[in-house]
Amino acid sequence: MTRAELMQVEKRVKALEKTIPRLVGSKPMVERKWYRTQAGHFSRDPVFDEIVRLGRNYRKSLRPRSYSKRP
């Protein structure tokens, strides 16, 4: 590594050393589960209901067909 490259790396490390304490101390992490905060956002939404229906049909199409036994 050349001297210029080493100087550049050193500048970047100093910038990171200044930034990291701000990032760590800025906000406490949220303890709540994501699905509890998002639950109900799409209730009574016809577009979402259609998405759910299409997804269900797609998953159903991937299942192997069951053959009924004939008497």
Side-chain angles (χ1 to χ4, degrees):
M1 234 184 225
T2 66
R3 183 164 171 82
E5 291 173 334
L6 286 174
M7 295 293 286
Q8 177 119 10
V9 170
E10 191 172 322
K11 285 181 185 179
R12 293 176 70 187
V13 168
K14 285 182 182 180
L16 284 172
E17 287 174 343
K18 289 179 184 177
T19 305
I20 288 174
R22 284 188 292 143
L23 292 175
V24 172
S26 63
K27 260 187 185 177
M29 291 186 65
V30 177
E31 296 287 331
R32 296 175 11 196
K33 306 276 187 212
W34 68 268
Y35 54 85
R36 292 186 186 244
T37 60
Q38 300 300 318
H41 279 264
F42 295 105
S43 65
R44 299 186 184 134
D45 184 356
V47 174
F48 184 73
D49 292 339
E50 179 70 7
I51 291 169
V52 170
R53 186 185 69 75
L54 292 171
R56 188 178 298 125
N57 289 345
Y58 175 71
R59 288 189 305 276
K60 187 177 178 182
S61 74
L62 295 177
R63 293 182 198 146
R65 293 182 182 214
S66 61
Y67 297 100
S68 61
K69 295 181 181 177
R70 294 185 178 171

Coordinates of all heavy atoms in Angstrom, one line a residue:
M1 N 0.8 -1.2 0.0 CA 0.0 0.0 0.0 C 0.9 1.2 0.0 O 1.9 1.3 0.7 CB -0.9 0.0 1.3 CG -2.3 0.1 1.0 SD -3.3 0.2 2.5 CE -4.5 -0.9 2.1
T2 N 0.5 2.2 -0.8 CA 1.3 3.4 -0.9 C 1.0 4.3 0.3 O 0.0 4.1 1.0 CB 1.0 4.2 -2.2 OG1 -0.4 4.6 -2.1 CG2 1.2 3.3 -3.4
R3 N 1.8 5.3 0.5 CA 1.6 6.2 1.6 C 0.2 7.0 1.5 O -0.5 7.2 2.4 CB 2.7 7.2 1.7 CG 2.7 8.2 2.8 CD 4.0 8.8 3.1 NE 4.0 9.9 4.0 CZ 4.0 9.7 5.3 NH1 4.1 8.5 5.8 NH2 3.9 10.8 6.1
A4 N -0.1 7.3 0.3 CA -1.4 8.1 0.0 C -2.6 7.2 0.4 O -3.6 7.6 1.0 CB -1.5 8.5 -1.4
E5 N -2.5 5.9 0.0 CA -3.6 5.0 0.4 C -3.7 4.8 1.9 O -4.8 4.7 2.4 CB -3.3 3.6 -0.3 CG -3.5 3.7 -1.8 CD -3.1 2.4 -2.5 OE1 -2.3 1.6 -1.9 OE2 -3.6 2.1 -3.6
L6 N -2.5 4.7 2.5 CA -2.6 4.6 4.0 C -3.2 5.8 4.6 O -4.0 5.7 5.6 CB -1.2 4.4 4.5 CG -0.6 3.0 4.3 CD1 0.9 2.9 4.7 CD2 -1.4 1.9 5.0
M7 N -2.9 7.0 4.1 CA -3.5 8.2 4.7 C -5.0 8.2 4.5 O -5.7 8.6 5.3 CB -2.8 9.4 4.0 CG -1.4 9.6 4.3 SD -1.0 10.0 6.0 CE -1.6 11.7 6.0
Q8 N -5.4 7.8 3.3 CA -6.9 7.7 3.0 C -7.6 6.7 4.0 O -8.6 7.0 4.5 CB -7.1 7.2 1.6 CG -8.5 7.1 1.2 CD -8.9 8.0 0.1 OE1 -8.1 8.6 -0.5 NE2 -10.2 8.0 -0.1
V9 N -7.0 5.6 4.2 CA -7.5 4.6 5.1 C -7.6 5.2 6.5 O -8.6 5.0 7.3 CB -6.7 3.3 5.1 CG1 -7.2 2.4 6.2 CG2 -6.9 2.6 3.8
E10 N -6.5 5.9 6.9 CA -6.5 6.5 8.3 C -7.6 7.5 8.4 O -8.3 7.6 9.5 CB -5.1 7.1 8.5 CG -4.9 7.5 9.9 CD -3.4 8.0 10.1 OE1 -2.5 7.4 9.6 OE2 -3.3 8.9 10.9
K11 N -7.8 8.3 7.4 CA -8.9 9.3 7.5 C -10.3 8.6 7.6 O -11.1 9.1 8.4 CB -8.9 10.2 6.2 CG -7.8 11.2 6.2 CD -8.0 12.0 4.9 CE -6.8 13.0 4.7 NZ -6.9 13.8 3.5
R12 N -10.5 7.6 6.9 CA -11.7 6.9 6.9 C -12.0 6.2 8.3 O -13.1 6.2 8.8 CB -11.8 5.8 5.8 CG -11.8 6.4 4.4 CD -11.8 5.4 3.4 NE -13.0 4.6 3.3 CZ -13.2 3.6 2.6 NH1 -12.3 3.2 1.8 NH2 -14.4 3.0 2.6
V13 N -10.9 5.7 8.9 CA -11.0 5.1 10.2 C -11.4 6.1 11.2 O -12.2 5.9 12.1 CB -9.7 4.3 10.6 CG1 -9.7 4.0 12.1 CG2 -9.5 3.1 9.7
K14 N -10.7 7.3 11.2 CA -11.1 8.4 12.1 C -12.5 8.8 12.0 O -13.2 9.1 13.0 CB -10.1 9.6 11.9 CG -8.7 9.3 12.4 CD -7.9 10.6 12.2 CE -6.5 10.3 12.7 NZ -5.6 11.4 12.6
A15 N -13.0 8.9 10.7 CA -14.4 9.3 10.5 C -15.3 8.2 11.1 O -16.3 8.6 11.7 CB -14.7 9.4 9.0
L16 N -15.0 7.0 11.0 CA -15.8 5.9 11.5 C -15.8 6.0 13.1 O -16.8 5.7 13.7 CB -15.3 4.5 11.1 CG -15.7 4.1 9.7 CD1 -14.9 2.8 9.3 CD2 -17.2 3.9 9.5
E17 N -14.6 6.2 13.6 CA -14.5 6.3 15.1 C -15.4 7.5 15.6 O -15.9 7.4 16.7 CB -13.1 6.5 15.5 CG -12.2 5.3 15.3 CD -10.7 5.5 15.6 OE1 -10.3 6.7 15.6 OE2 -10.0 4.5 15.8
K18 N -15.6 8.5 14.9 CA -16.5 9.6 15.3 C -17.9 9.2 15.1 O -18.8 9.6 15.9 CB -16.2 10.9 14.5 CG -14.8 11.5 14.8 CD -14.6 12.7 14.0 CE -13.3 13.3 14.2 NZ -13.0 14.5 13.3
T19 N -18.2 8.5 14.1 CA -19.6 8.2 13.8 C -20.2 7.1 14.7 O -21.4 7.1 15.1 CB -19.7 7.7 12.3 OG1 -19.2 8.8 11.5 CG2 -21.2 7.5 11.9
I20 N -19.4 6.1 15.0 CA -19.9 4.9 15.7 C -20.6 5.3 17.0 O -21.7 4.8 17.4 CB -18.9 3.8 15.8 CG1 -18.6 3.2 14.5 CG2 -19.3 2.8 16.9 CD1 -17.5 2.2 14.4
P21 N -19.9 6.1 17.9 CA -20.6 6.4 19.1 C -22.0 7.1 19.0 O -22.9 6.9 19.7 CB -19.6 7.4 19.8 CG -18.3 7.0 19.2 CD -18.6 6.6 17.8
R22 N -22.1 7.9 17.9 CA -23.4 8.6 17.7 C -24.4 7.6 17.3 O -25.6 7.6 17.7 CB -23.2 9.6 16.6 CG -22.6 10.9 17.1 CD -22.6 12.0 16.0 NE -21.8 11.6 14.9 CZ -22.1 11.8 13.6 NH1 -23.2 12.4 13.3 NH2 -21.3 11.4 12.6
L23 N -24.0 6.6 16.5 CA -25.0 5.6 16.1 C -25.4 4.7 17.2 O -26.6 4.3 17.4 CB -24.4 4.7 14.9 CG -24.2 5.4 13.6 CD1 -23.5 4.4 12.7 CD2 -25.5 5.9 13.0
V24 N -24.5 4.3 18.0 CA -24.8 3.4 19.2 C -25.6 4.1 20.2 O -26.6 3.5 20.7 CB -23.5 2.9 19.8 CG1 -23.7 2.1 21.1 CG2 -22.7 2.0 18.8
G25 N -25.4 5.3 20.5 CA -26.1 6.0 21.5 C -27.3 6.7 21.1 O -28.1 7.3 21.9
S26 N -27.7 6.7 19.8 CA -28.7 7.5 19.3 C -30.1 7.1 19.7 O -30.9 7.9 20.2 CB -28.7 7.6 17.8 OG -28.9 6.4 17.2
K27 N -30.5 5.8 19.5 CA -31.8 5.4 19.8 C -31.8 4.0 20.3 O -31.0 3.1 19.8 CB -32.6 5.3 18.5 CG -33.6 6.4 18.2 CD -34.4 6.0 17.0 CE -35.3 7.2 16.6 NZ -36.1 6.9 15.4
P28 N -32.5 3.7 21.4 CA -32.6 2.3 21.8 C -33.4 1.5 20.9 O -34.3 2.0 20.2 CB -33.3 2.4 23.2 CG -34.1 3.7 23.1 CD -33.3 4.6 22.2
M29 N -33.0 0.2 20.8 CA -33.7 -0.7 19.8 C -35.1 -0.9 20.4 O -35.3 -1.1 21.6 CB -32.9 -2.0 19.7 CG -31.6 -1.8 18.9 SD -30.8 -3.3 18.6 CE -32.0 -4.1 17.5
V30 N -36.0 -1.1 19.5 CA -37.4 -1.4 19.8 C -37.5 -2.8 20.2 O -37.1 -3.7 19.6 CB -38.4 -1.1 18.6 CG1 -39.8 -1.4 19.0 CG2 -38.2 0.4 18.2
E31 N -38.2 -3.0 21.4 CA -38.3 -4.4 21.9 C -39.5 -5.1 21.4 O -39.6 -6.3 21.5 CB -38.4 -4.3 23.5 CG -37.1 -3.7 24.1 CD -36.0 -4.7 24.1 OE1 -36.2 -5.9 24.1 OE2 -34.9 -4.3 24.1
R32 N -40.4 -4.4 20.8 CA -41.7 -5.0 20.4 C -41.5 -5.8 19.1 O -40.6 -5.6 18.3 CB -42.7 -3.9 20.1 CG -43.1 -3.2 21.4 CD -44.0 -2.0 21.3 NE -44.7 -1.8 20.1 CZ -45.3 -0.7 19.8 NH1 -45.3 0.3 20.7 NH2 -46.0 -0.5 18.7
K33 N -42.3 -6.8 19.0 CA -42.3 -7.7 17.8 C -42.9 -6.9 16.7 O -43.9 -6.2 16.8 CB -43.1 -9.0 18.1 CG -42.7 -9.7 19.3 CD -41.5 -10.6 19.0 CE -41.3 -11.5 20.2 NZ -39.9 -11.8 20.4
W34 N -42.3 -7.1 15.5 CA -42.8 -6.4 14.3 C -44.2 -6.7 14.0 O -45.0 -5.8 13.5 CB -41.9 -6.6 13.1 CG -42.0 -8.0 12.6 CD1 -41.2 -9.1 12.9 CD2 -42.9 -8.5 11.6 NE1 -41.6 -10.2 12.3 CE2 -42.6 -9.9 11.5 CE3 -44.0 -8.0 10.9 CZ2 -43.4 -10.7 10.6 CZ3 -44.7 -8.8 10.1 CH2 -44.4 -10.2 9.9
Y35 N -44.6 -7.9 14.1 CA -46.0 -8.3 13.7 C -47.1 -7.7 14.7 O -48.2 -7.6 14.3 CB -46.1 -9.8 13.6 CG -45.7 -10.6 14.9 CD1 -46.6 -10.8 15.9 CD2 -44.5 -11.1 15.0 CE1 -46.3 -11.5 17.0 CE2 -44.1 -11.8 16.1 CZ -45.0 -12.0 17.1 OH -44.6 -12.7 18.2
R36 N -46.7 -7.4 15.9 CA -47.7 -6.7 16.8 C -47.9 -5.3 16.4 O -49.0 -4.8 16.5 CB -47.2 -6.8 18.2 CG -47.2 -8.2 18.7 CD -46.8 -8.2 20.2 NE -46.7 -9.6 20.6 CZ -47.5 -10.2 21.5 NH1 -48.5 -9.5 22.1 NH2 -47.3 -11.4 21.9
T37 N -46.9 -4.6 15.8 CA -47.1 -3.2 15.4 C -47.8 -3.1 14.1 O -48.5 -2.2 13.8 CB -45.8 -2.5 15.4 OG1 -44.9 -3.1 14.4 CG2 -45.1 -2.4 16.7
Q38 N -47.7 -4.2 13.2 CA -48.2 -4.1 11.9 C -49.6 -4.8 11.8 O -50.2 -4.7 10.7 CB -47.2 -4.8 10.9 CG -45.9 -4.1 10.9 CD -46.0 -2.6 10.4 OE1 -46.7 -2.3 9.5 NE2 -45.2 -1.8 11.1
A39 N -50.0 -5.6 12.8 CA -51.2 -6.3 12.7 C -52.4 -5.4 12.5 O -52.6 -4.4 13.1 CB -51.4 -7.1 14.0
G40 N -53.3 -5.8 11.5 CA -54.5 -5.0 11.3 C -54.3 -3.9 10.3 O -55.3 -3.2 9.9
H41 N -53.2 -3.7 9.7 CA -53.0 -2.6 8.8 C -53.8 -2.8 7.5 O -54.1 -1.8 6.8 CB -51.5 -2.4 8.5 CG -50.8 -1.6 9.5 ND1 -50.6 -0.2 9.4 CD2 -50.3 -1.9 10.7 CE1 -50.0 0.2 10.5 NE2 -49.7 -0.8 11.3
F42 N -54.0 -4.0 7.1 CA -54.7 -4.3 5.9 C -56.1 -4.9 6.0 O -56.6 -5.5 5.1 CB -53.8 -5.3 5.0 CG -52.5 -4.7 4.6 CD1 -51.4 -5.1 5.2 CD2 -52.4 -3.8 3.6 CE1 -50.1 -4.6 4.9 CE2 -51.2 -3.3 3.2 CZ -50.1 -3.7 3.8
S43 N -56.7 -4.7 7.2 CA -58.0 -5.2 7.4 C -59.0 -4.4 6.5 O -58.8 -3.2 6.3 CB -58.4 -5.1 8.9 OG -58.5 -3.7 9.2
R44 N -59.9 -5.2 6.0 CA -60.9 -4.6 5.1 C -60.4 -4.0 3.8 O -60.9 -3.0 3.3 CB -61.8 -3.6 5.8 CG -62.6 -4.2 7.0 CD -63.5 -3.2 7.5 NE -64.2 -3.8 8.7 CZ -64.3 -3.2 9.9 NH1 -63.9 -2.0 10.0 NH2 -64.9 -3.8 10.9
D45 N -59.2 -4.4 3.4 CA -58.6 -3.9 2.1 C -58.8 -4.9 1.0 O -58.3 -6.0 1.1 CB -57.1 -3.7 2.3 CG -56.4 -3.1 1.1 OD1 -57.1 -2.9 0.1 OD2 -55.2 -2.8 1.3
P46 N -59.7 -4.6 0.0 CA -60.0 -5.6 -1.0 C -58.8 -6.1 -1.8 O -58.7 -7.2 -2.2 CB -61.0 -4.9 -1.9 CG -60.9 -3.5 -1.6 CD -60.4 -3.4 -0.2
V47 N -57.8 -5.2 -2.0 CA -56.6 -5.6 -2.8 C -55.8 -6.6 -2.0 O -55.4 -7.6 -2.5 CB -55.8 -4.3 -3.1 CG1 -54.4 -4.7 -3.7 CG2 -56.5 -3.4 -3.9
F48 N -55.7 -6.4 -0.7 CA -54.9 -7.4 0.2 C -55.7 -8.7 0.2 O -55.0 -9.8 0.1 CB -54.7 -6.8 1.6 CG -53.9 -7.7 2.4 CD1 -52.5 -7.8 2.2 CD2 -54.5 -8.5 3.4 CE1 -51.8 -8.7 3.0 CE2 -53.7 -9.3 4.2 CZ -52.3 -9.4 4.0
D49 N -57.0 -8.7 0.3 CA -57.8 -9.9 0.3 C -57.6 -10.7 -1.0 O -57.5 -11.9 -1.0 CB -59.3 -9.6 0.5 CG -59.6 -9.1 1.9 OD1 -58.8 -9.3 2.8 OD2 -60.6 -8.4 2.0
E50 N -57.5 -10.0 -2.1 CA -57.2 -10.6 -3.4 C -55.8 -11.2 -3.4 O -55.6 -12.3 -3.9 CB -57.3 -9.6 -4.5 CG -57.1 -10.2 -5.9 CD -58.1 -11.1 -6.4 OE1 -59.2 -11.3 -5.7 OE2 -57.9 -11.7 -7.5
I51 N -54.8 -10.5 -2.8 CA -53.5 -11.1 -2.8 C -53.4 -12.3 -1.9 O -52.8 -13.3 -2.3 CB -52.5 -10.0 -2.1 CG1 -52.3 -8.8 -3.1 CG2 -51.2 -10.6 -1.8 CD1 -51.6 -7.6 -2.5
V52 N -54.1 -12.3 -0.8 CA -54.2 -13.5 0.0 C -54.9 -14.7 -0.7 O -54.4 -15.8 -0.7 CB -55.0 -13.2 1.3 CG1 -55.2 -14.5 2.1 CG2 -54.2 -12.2 2.2
R53 N -56.0 -14.4 -1.4 CA -56.6 -15.5 -2.2 C -55.7 -16.1 -3.3 O -55.7 -17.3 -3.4 CB -57.9 -14.9 -2.8 CG -58.8 -15.9 -3.5 CD -59.9 -15.3 -4.2 NE -59.6 -14.5 -5.4 CZ -59.2 -15.1 -6.6 NH1 -59.1 -16.4 -6.7 NH2 -58.8 -14.3 -7.6
L54 N -55.1 -15.2 -4.0 CA -54.2 -15.7 -5.1 C -53.0 -16.5 -4.5 O -52.6 -17.5 -5.1 CB -53.6 -14.5 -5.9 CG -54.7 -13.8 -6.8 CD1 -54.1 -12.5 -7.4 CD2 -55.2 -14.7 -7.8
G55 N -52.5 -16.0 -3.4 CA -51.4 -16.8 -2.7 C -51.9 -18.2 -2.3 O -51.2 -19.2 -2.4
R56 N -53.1 -18.2 -1.7 CA -53.6 -19.5 -1.3 C -53.8 -20.4 -2.5 O -53.5 -21.6 -2.4 CB -55.0 -19.2 -0.6 CG -55.5 -20.5 0.1 CD -56.8 -20.2 0.8 NE -56.6 -19.2 1.9 CZ -57.3 -18.1 2.0 NH1 -58.2 -17.7 1.2 NH2 -57.0 -17.2 3.0
N57 N -54.4 -19.9 -3.5 CA -54.5 -20.7 -4.7 C -53.2 -21.2 -5.3 O -53.1 -22.4 -5.8 CB -55.3 -20.0 -5.8 CG -56.8 -19.8 -5.5 OD1 -57.3 -20.4 -4.6 ND2 -57.4 -18.8 -6.1
Y58 N -52.2 -20.4 -5.3 CA -50.9 -20.8 -5.8 C -50.3 -21.9 -4.9 O -49.8 -22.9 -5.4 CB -50.0 -19.6 -5.8 CG -48.5 -20.0 -6.2 CD1 -48.2 -20.3 -7.5 CD2 -47.5 -20.0 -5.3 CE1 -47.0 -20.7 -7.9 CE2 -46.2 -20.3 -5.6 CZ -46.0 -20.7 -6.9 OH -44.7 -21.0 -7.3
R59 N -50.3 -21.7 -3.6 CA -49.8 -22.8 -2.7 C -50.6 -24.1 -2.9 O -50.0 -25.1 -2.9 CB -49.8 -22.3 -1.3 CG -48.8 -21.2 -0.9 CD -48.7 -20.9 0.5 NE -50.0 -20.6 1.1 CZ -50.5 -19.4 1.1 NH1 -49.9 -18.4 0.5 NH2 -51.7 -19.1 1.7
K60 N -51.9 -24.0 -3.1 CA -52.7 -25.2 -3.3 C -52.3 -25.9 -4.6 O -52.3 -27.1 -4.6 CB -54.2 -24.8 -3.3 CG -55.1 -25.9 -3.4 CD -56.6 -25.5 -3.3 CE -57.5 -26.6 -3.4 NZ -58.9 -26.2 -3.4
S61 N -52.0 -25.1 -5.6 CA -51.6 -25.7 -6.9 C -50.2 -26.4 -6.8 O -50.0 -27.3 -7.6 CB -51.5 -24.6 -8.0 OG -50.3 -23.8 -7.8
L62 N -49.4 -26.1 -5.8 CA -48.1 -26.8 -5.7 C -48.2 -28.1 -4.9 O -47.3 -28.9 -5.0 CB -47.2 -25.9 -4.9 CG -46.8 -24.6 -5.6 CD1 -45.9 -23.7 -4.7 CD2 -46.1 -24.8 -6.9
R63 N -49.3 -28.3 -4.2 CA -49.5 -29.6 -3.5 C -49.7 -30.7 -4.5 O -50.4 -30.6 -5.5 CB -50.7 -29.5 -2.6 CG -50.5 -28.5 -1.5 CD -51.8 -28.5 -0.6 NE -51.8 -27.3 0.2 CZ -52.9 -26.7 0.6 NH1 -54.1 -27.1 0.2 NH2 -52.8 -25.6 1.3
P64 N -49.2 -31.9 -4.1 CA -49.5 -33.1 -4.9 C -51.0 -33.4 -4.9 O -51.6 -33.3 -3.8 CB -48.6 -34.2 -4.4 CG -48.3 -33.7 -3.0 CD -48.4 -32.2 -3.0
R65 N -51.5 -33.8 -6.0 CA -52.9 -34.2 -6.1 C -53.1 -35.5 -5.3 O -52.3 -36.5 -5.5 CB -53.4 -34.3 -7.5 CG -53.4 -33.0 -8.2 CD -53.9 -33.2 -9.6 NE -53.8 -31.9 -10.3 CZ -54.7 -31.5 -11.1 NH1 -55.7 -32.3 -11.5 NH2 -54.5 -30.3 -11.7
S66 N -54.2 -35.6 -4.6 CA -54.5 -36.9 -3.9 C -55.4 -37.6 -4.8 O -56.4 -37.1 -5.4 CB -55.1 -36.6 -2.5 OG -56.3 -35.9 -2.7
Y67 N -55.2 -38.9 -4.9 CA -56.0 -39.8 -5.8 C -57.0 -40.5 -4.8 O -56.6 -41.1 -3.9 CB -55.2 -40.7 -6.6 CG -54.3 -40.0 -7.5 CD1 -52.9 -39.8 -7.2 CD2 -54.7 -39.6 -8.7 CE1 -52.1 -39.2 -8.1 CE2 -53.9 -38.9 -9.6 CZ -52.6 -38.7 -9.3 OH -51.8 -38.1 -10.2
S68 N -58.2 -40.4 -5.2 CA -59.2 -41.1 -4.3 C -59.3 -42.5 -4.7 O -59.1 -42.9 -5.9 CB -60.6 -40.4 -4.5 OG -61.0 -40.5 -5.9
K69 N -59.5 -43.4 -3.7 CA -59.6 -44.8 -4.0 C -61.0 -45.1 -4.5 O -62.0 -44.7 -3.9 CB -59.3 -45.6 -2.7 CG -57.9 -45.4 -2.3 CD -57.6 -46.3 -1.0 CE -56.2 -46.1 -0.5 NZ -56.0 -46.8 0.7
R70 N -61.1 -45.9 -5.5 CA -62.4 -46.3 -6.0 C -62.8 -47.6 -5.4 O -62.0 -48.5 -5.4 CB -62.3 -46.4 -7.6 CG -62.1 -45.0 -8.2 CD -62.1 -45.1 -9.7 NE -61.9 -43.8 -10.2 CZ -61.8 -43.5 -11.5 NH1 -61.8 -44.5 -12.4 NH2 -61.6 -42.3 -11.9
P71 N -64.1 -47.7 -5.1 CA -64.5 -49.0 -4.5 C -64.6 -50.1 -5.5 O -64.7 -50.1 -6.6 CB -65.9 -48.7 -3.9 CG -66.3 -47.4 -4.5 CD -65.1 -46.7 -5.1

